[in-house]
Structure formats: C-alpha cells, structure tokens
Amino acid sequence: MNITVKGRQVTRKEAPILVVAPHSTFLDASITYVTGFPSIIVRRESGLNPFIGKLINYTQPVYVWREDPNSRQNTIKEIIERVNSDLDWPQVLIFPEGTCTNRSCLITFKPGAFYPGVPVQPVCIRYPNKLDTVTWTWEGPGALKLLWLTLTQVQSSCEIEFLPVYTPNTAEKEDPKLYANNVRQLMAKALGIPVSDYTYDDCRLMTRAKQMNLPCAPCLVEVHRLRTKLGLTQKTVEEDLSKTPQLATICEGGISYQQFAHILGVCPKEEALQHLFKIYDKESNNSMDFREYLLGVLAISRVSNASEMLQLAFELFDSNRKGELTLPDATQALLHSTSMSPEDVHSMFTKIDTNLRGYITFEMLDVPTKGCDPSCTKVDSLVSACTWWCSSQSGIGVTRGGVVLSLVSACTWWCCTRSGIGVHVVVLYSVWYRRACGRVLSLVSACTWSCSQSGIGVHVVVLFSLCA
C-alpha cells in the first residue's frame, strides 16, 4: 500500500482530537500508524478480534458497546476526561460517521467527538485507485475477498490529508451537533463530495431490512425517519393496531390520507405525515394498503428472522382473521414479505393446497424456526430447494446424477458465481461435518453453509422448496 501524506499533523496541545472521514474500509486502520498510534474509539468486538485485538489494545482505546444503552454516555465521558486531562494521553482518533460507507458522500457525524468543545483536526482519506478493491460496506463483498482482490493489484494507493485545525466558536461549543455538522461540511468541501443526512442508525436499519429480504429496504429508512419526526417511534400505535380484530375492516379496499391520519392519531397538516403517506400511495390516487405499512414497521421492530417475517405477513394479510389465507391474501403476503411474483405464489399455493380447501396456513409452509440448522427441517425440502435454484438459474438438470449431484451442482453454481467458493469447499466441509457429527445431513449442511456465504438466505431456500 503506497500511502501519501499531505499537510501536517498537529500536536495534542493544538488539537486533542483527530476527526477522520470518510470511513470506507478496514484498511483505514493504516492511519493509526501514520498518526503515531493515537487512542481510537472502536467497538468492543474489534478488540476481541484475534488478529488485530492486540494492536488495538496497544493504542489505549475507548471501547464502545453498541448494544449497551449506557455505552454512548460512558464513551462521551471518557473522551471528555482524556482530552482535558493533564496526563500524557495520546491524541484521540475517531471516525465520526460510525460505520463504513462507499465514499460517495459524508453521512451524518456522530456528535461524540464534539462534546468536549475543544479544537479538532479534520483528516481526509482518499483511495485514488483505478479499480476499487477496498470499499467494505454492508452491501458488497466481504473483507477476505476484498483483501484478496487488493493483494492481486500491482499497486494500491491511499492519500491522507491533514486539514488545518478547526476551533469551535461559542455556538458550536454549546451545540455539539452544530459543531459536528460544520466540520462535516468543511471536510466534504475538501473531498469534493456532497453530504447526506443518513446516519449510522439508518445504515443498521437498512442492513436489517436487507438481511430479512424486505422489499424496498431503502424506503424503510425514510419511513423510520418520518415516524421519528411524528413521534410514532415512542408509541405503540402500530403494534396495537396489528392485534385488533377490526384490522381487516380498517384495511379493506385501502385507506385514504384522512383515514391514515385518524388511525395514527396525527394531525393531517403534518408535512412528515404527508410524505409518509405518499411512500405507500403507489398509484397516487389517495389510497394505500395499511397492511403494507404495518408490515414494514413491525418487521423492523419485532422480527428477528425470516420465519417470524412470514408469520407476521400471514397475520396481517389474513382477511378472515382465522389463520387461513386465500390465494389473493397469500399473494399480497408473500409479495410484500419476499417479493415473490404472483405467478410463483399461485404455483406454490396450488402445490400446497392439494386438498383444494381454497386456503393455506402458515403451518403448511413448514418453515424452520431454529435458524439455519438444516436438521430442523425436512431433508427433501432443502435438497429440492437447491435443485430448483440449480435448474432454474444455471440450467443444470435434476434428472442426471440424482439428488446428491443436483445438490452439489446448485451449491457450486451459487458459490462460484456469488462468492467464488468452489465445490471442493462444499465437499471438504461435508467431510468435516460427517467426522465431527457423524450425521447423514452433512452434505445438506454444507450446502446450507455455502448458500449463506454466497448471499442466498436459508429462508429463501426453504421457501422455494415448497415448489418441490
């Protein structure tokens, strides 16, 4: 890595805090070496990493527990104590975005580094390479693949630019968010990129939506922000409505904007509410499906896996409130929860409803509820799913070679095209699994593992297995 340094790093006395952006890759860690190993603000999980944990501990870091509600206040308190201490502490280095982005803009800075109200030195990072092999975000290649791609390059470059010290005025000292925003504007101008109002929490929300394969995941971020402005995130309006027996009556034929405002208990004149309604008013005819809104809101707040997601969709789109979904209801439920086309839903529905009852239930889906362990579902189901993916996506037939060949072929196709993992990894993994557990499901487990590595969720696999 060829590192070019522009500008001059000031001393701790001149600026106790180094503010670094944009944060886009694990290779940003090289700045700790360039800046003389300052104390970094880092999540606790990184300190437990067996490869870089020792190096992080050497810098006397301030650890952040993202799941601990008190961690934020404790981190701010520790930063204030260090920058104002007479002891010989190193400078504090922080990535104020709080997460990795693709360097196309600067997202909202967290105000933690700006609470002390002391001068900071902005530091810009650039990667002026012809081929981008370093960007590591929530949606894209994993760290190992990016590292391998970077190592295959003849040369990779990184530019680190130290900007002049930014000294806050009185208003900025009293308002850390104003201070953070002004520093962000300065750095964005130096980088030649725009700013964005997206935050770290927005990125977490979008990641969660993507993991559950929710349609229109970016829209849910905007929905969450609008609900926050309206104060709905502090209430249980949507949760209570999802349990009311009158839900089907409320949602029948769609609801108007006035009804939407009345149901949520919000003044119709609220601009944020108008924007929220427009997101779901897809035909621009003053009508929306309130169940779609509830599904997105409740999926983020209380759903933890795909099985719960499907169950929630079945509950919300059950017109009769009996746990029995007709074909129109099932079509809407699966469309909004998995993006399945009406044709696929119809095919699945007819294969499940073999007794011609005219409805299906959640239990008929036979969806596992114990995560990704294939032992909690039928072997034939998972095998058929992989076979389906194989034959429909790669053209490899299912009649030649039998079940095992189809399973390996499906896994090989997905792994090779999506993550570069070949069939030899599948076979080796299956051998290891057989030796460790002595179970017949070894190859199925290998396929499940490989599918998860290549970005295809096991819940999707099991869902499509219903076609078998």
Side-chain angles (χ1 to χ4, degrees):
M1 177 70 74
N2 180 34
I3 300 177
T4 303
V5 178
K6 297 180 179 180
R8 180 184 69 88
Q9 179 183 355
V10 301
T11 63
R12 176 179 181 272
K13 185 176 181 180
E14 295 174 273
I17 300 176
L18 301 174
V19 176
V20 185
H23 185 27
S24 63
T25 173
F26 51 87
L27 294 176
D28 289 342
S30 60
I31 197 172
T32 60
Y33 170 76
V34 175
T35 54
F37 295 101
S39 296
I40 59 177
I41 312 299
V42 64
R43 60 178 185 168
R44 188 67 184 95
E45 295 89 335
S46 299
L48 300 175
N49 188 293
F51 301 104
I52 62 172
K54 295 292 184 181
L55 178 61
I56 292 176
N57 289 330
Y58 174 77
T59 68
Q60 304 177 78
V62 177
Y63 282 119
V64 179
W65 297 84
R66 287 178 171 173
E67 305 304 324
D68 182 3
N70 298 319
S71 179
R72 179 173 174 271
Q73 294 300 325
N74 294 336
T75 300
I76 293 173
K77 181 180 178 181
E78 181 66 22
I79 293 174
I80 293 175
E81 289 180 356
R82 290 199 184 191
V83 300
N84 292 314
S85 174
D86 294 330
L87 299 177
D88 190 23
W89 284 103
Q91 286 177 297
V92 174
L93 184 148
I94 188 168
F95 294 93
E97 292 175 295
T99 189
C100 288
T101 68
N102 61 8
R103 299 191 302 280
S104 62
C105 65
L106 290 183
I107 65 172
T108 301
F109 281 7
K110 287 176 169 289
F114 306 93
Y115 271 96
V118 297
V120 301
Q121 183 172 26
V123 185
C124 299
I125 300 183
R126 301 180 183 88
Y127 291 91
N129 301 309
K130 184 176 181 181
L131 182 63
D132 183 6
T133 62
V134 301
T135 301
W136 184 36
T137 61
W138 56 272
E139 186 177 40
L144 291 178
K145 185 174 183 178
L146 288 173
L147 179 60
W148 169 253
L149 291 174
T150 302
L151 292 174
T152 59
Q153 303 304 304
V154 177
Q155 176 178 302
S156 294
S157 300
C158 173
E159 290 183 0
I160 298 175
E161 181 181 4
F162 292 94
L163 300 181
V165 174
Y166 189 103
T167 303
N169 55 36
T170 304
E172 291 170 334
K173 289 181 180 180
E174 296 175 353
D175 187 351
K177 291 185 178 180
L178 174 64
Y179 187 6
N181 187 58
N182 289 343
V183 172
R184 181 175 66 137
Q185 294 286 352
L186 175 71
M187 297 181 71
K189 184 177 181 180
L191 290 163
I193 58 176
V195 296
S196 170
D197 289 335
Y198 278 108
T199 66
Y200 165 72
D201 292 330
D202 292 334
C203 294
R204 285 189 65 184
L205 179 63
M206 194 176 299
T207 301
R208 182 174 171 79
K210 285 285 186 180
Q211 288 173 345
M212 292 187 296
N213 289 321
L214 284 175
C216 197
C219 291
L220 294 180
V221 174
E222 185 64 20
V223 169
H224 180 73
R225 294 171 66 183
L226 292 172
R227 290 181 64 249
T228 301
K229 285 184 178 180
L230 295 169
L232 293 173
T233 55
Q234 306 299 322
K235 302 177 182 178
T236 59
V237 179
E238 294 93 350
E239 184 72 36
D240 295 339
L241 285 169
S242 68
K243 299 176 182 178
T244 178
Q246 291 77 34
L247 180 63
T249 304
I250 294 174
C251 300
E252 186 176 2
I255 62 173
S256 66
Y257 175 71
Q258 294 296 331
Q259 290 173 309
F260 184 58
H262 176 72
I263 292 171
L264 296 181
V266 179
C267 176
K269 296 182 180 180
E270 287 284 352
E271 186 176 348
L273 185 67
Q274 296 173 17
H275 288 308
L276 184 59
F277 183 82
K278 288 180 180 179
I279 292 176
Y280 294 96
D281 183 14
K282 296 181 171 60
E283 302 296 329
S284 299
N285 59 354
N286 193 35
S287 179
M288 64 170 282
D289 190 335
F290 190 66
R291 295 169 300 181
E292 182 183 357
Y293 167 76
L294 285 179
L295 180 64
V297 171
L298 298 179
I300 295 300
S301 63
R302 78 182 196 192
V303 170
S304 59
N305 54 52
S307 175
E308 292 181 3
M309 179 66 194
L310 281 175
Q311 188 171 12
L312 174 62
F314 268 54
E315 291 174 1
L316 293 177
F317 288 90
D318 179 9
S319 299
N320 299 321
R321 311 299 287 176
K322 295 180 180 179
E324 302 170 351
L325 269 69
T326 61
L327 178 57
D329 291 340
T331 300
Q332 291 298 313
L334 293 171
L335 171 66
H336 294 301
S337 61
T338 66
S339 294
M340 284 185 69
S341 67
E343 293 78 13
D344 289 335
V345 176
H346 184 273
S347 176
M348 183 194 72
F349 190 94
T350 55
K351 290 182 181 296
I352 296 177
D353 186 22
T354 55
N355 296 327
L356 302 179
R357 297 186 182 92
Y359 66 85
I360 62 173
T361 65
F362 176 74
E363 289 71 21
M364 291 180 182
L365 292 180
D366 191 28
V367 179
T369 57
K370 299 180 181 179
C372 296
D373 184 1
S375 62
C376 65
T377 187
K378 294 181 178 179
V379 178
D380 290 343
S381 177
L382 190 54
V383 171
S384 300
C386 294
T387 300
W388 183 89
W389 276 108
C390 168
S391 60
S392 64
Q393 302 294 328
S394 65
I396 302 174
V398 299
T399 56
R400 295 184 303 164
V403 171
V404 175
L405 181 57
S406 296
L407 183 61
V408 174
S409 300
C411 195
T412 303
W413 184 84
W414 269 104
C415 290
C416 289
T417 57
R418 296 306 173 102
S419 66
I421 302 175
V423 65
H424 59 282
V425 176
V426 178
V427 176
L428 288 175
Y429 186 86
S430 68
V431 171
W432 169 83
Y433 194 91
R434 185 182 296 113
R435 288 177 179 174
C437 306
R439 295 170 65 177
V440 181
L441 296 179
S442 58
L443 193 54
V444 175
S445 300
C447 186
T448 303
W449 172 78
S450 298
C451 284
S452 66
Q453 298 302 307
S454 58
I456 184 173
V458 175
H459 57 280
V460 177
V461 175
V462 175
L463 179 61
F464 276 106
S465 70
L466 296 170
C467 297

